[in-house]
Amino acid sequence: FNLIISDLEDAISFLPYAVPGQPVMVSKCVARHVLSLVYMNLQRYPEAALMAQQVIEDPAYDLVPSSNIADVFSCHHQDNSEIIFSWLFSSTDRNNPQRCSVQLMPLYSRISGVTVSWEGGGRNWSRLLPSPYYWTLFEAVDLRLDAWHKRYWVYNINSFIDPLPPGVSFGDT
């Protein structure tokens, strides 16, 4: 942990500041955020709070209004003010392949009558899955639930190879 702390302190001194409206892959804020997590793991809470406070007060970042909460994880708004660290993804840029976001997408294409689509969440790998406890953290009216998670898919194909299940119509969820 001493080496991790030392490396992060060095990173904070050498990394650039983030500029509002211009996402930076790695900035002082990213290093401060990670250092706050290290301090929390070591139960050094005052130091963790200091690092977290510096992240919270950084003028390059601001919480997204609840009316735009879907922008937080939207592929079309990857430059929003709430993102401290991001790996930008593009559905059209073949030189910038998706790496992490698809790992959160369930294997929805294994359901008969549902094919991979950008609207469905793109290619599905399903490497990561929230626990049942995670879903209990949301109230039914919580705007973040549907803004942050793709929970429903549309039956969007009916072919010999991928037929609709019995009792299901094209366009049903």
Side-chain angles (χ1 to χ4, degrees), residues 75 98 101-102 105 108 115-124 150 153:
C75 289
Q98 295 201 13
S101 65
V102 292
M105 191 56 57
Y108 68 92
T115 189
V116 173
S117 68
W118 186 249
E119 295 77 24
R123 192 169 88 185
N124 52 146
K150 179 80 173 156
W153 285 263

Side-chain angles (χ1 to χ4, degrees), residues 8 11-12 15 26-36 51:
L8 287 167
I12 291 167
L15 287 169
V26 181
S27 67
K28 291 181 183 300
C29 239
V30 172
R32 287 183 177 124
H33 171 68
V34 174
L35 185 53
S36 74
M51 287 296 111

Side-chain angles (χ1 to χ4, degrees), residues 72-86:
V72 173
F73 296 109
S74 168
C75 289
H76 304 291
H77 297 282
Q78 296 177 65
D79 58 349
N80 75 68
S81 61
E82 195 165 314
I83 295 175
I84 297 171
F85 175 80
S86 68

Side-chain angles (χ1 to χ4, degrees), residues 19-107:
V19 178
Q22 296 180 1
V24 175
M25 279 190 75
V26 181
S27 67
K28 291 181 183 300
C29 239
V30 172
R32 287 183 177 124
H33 171 68
V34 174
L35 185 53
S36 74
L37 297 174
V38 170
Y39 284 144
M40 286 177 54
N41 191 42
L42 295 172
Q43 298 181 350
R44 291 169 56 177
Y45 301 120
E47 291 150 299
L50 177 63
M51 287 296 111
Q53 190 68 31
Q54 289 179 23
V55 172
I56 291 166
E57 292 176 353
D58 191 300
Y61 307 102
D62 197 14
L63 293 176
V64 171
S66 60
S67 59
N68 297 351
I69 199 148
D71 290 353
V72 173
F73 296 109
S74 168
C75 289
H76 304 291
H77 297 282
Q78 296 177 65
D79 58 349
N80 75 68
S81 61
E82 195 165 314
I83 295 175
I84 297 171
F85 175 80
S86 68
W87 204 326
L88 300 179
F89 297 109
S90 171
S91 61
T92 58
D93 184 356
R94 297 193 184 275
N95 295 318
N96 185 13
Q98 295 201 13
R99 292 179 176 86
C100 296
S101 65
V102 292
Q103 294 186 15
L104 296 169
M105 191 56 57
L107 297 171

